[in-house]
Amino acid sequence: MLEFNGMRIAVDGVKAWYPAFDITPPELCTAIATDKGLFPPNHVQEYRNT
């Protein structure tokens, strides 16, 4: 973390990389967590129906 509440908290010169997501192989996923609960990968299309 380089900033908190709009203020820099890390020492000048410190750099960071913040990827938006990780890449997990599909075969390692047993569920996808959403605001509507957990869905098995082959049932994630049901998210729109709940």
Side-chain angles (χ1 to χ4, degrees):
M1 183 184 323
L2 299 177
E3 295 183 3
F4 178 75
N5 208 20
M7 295 180 60
R8 186 166 177 92
I9 58 173
V11 176
D12 286 340
V14 172
K15 296 178 183 177
W17 179 58
Y18 298 104
F21 54 90
D22 65 355
I23 300 172
T24 303
E27 61 272 12
L28 298 179
C29 295
T30 57
I32 299 171
T34 75
D35 59 326
K36 297 178 181 180
L38 295 175
F39 292 88
N42 58 341
H43 291 266
V44 74
Q45 70 277 4
E46 296 172 12
Y47 173 86
R48 291 194 284 174
N49 299 330
T50 60

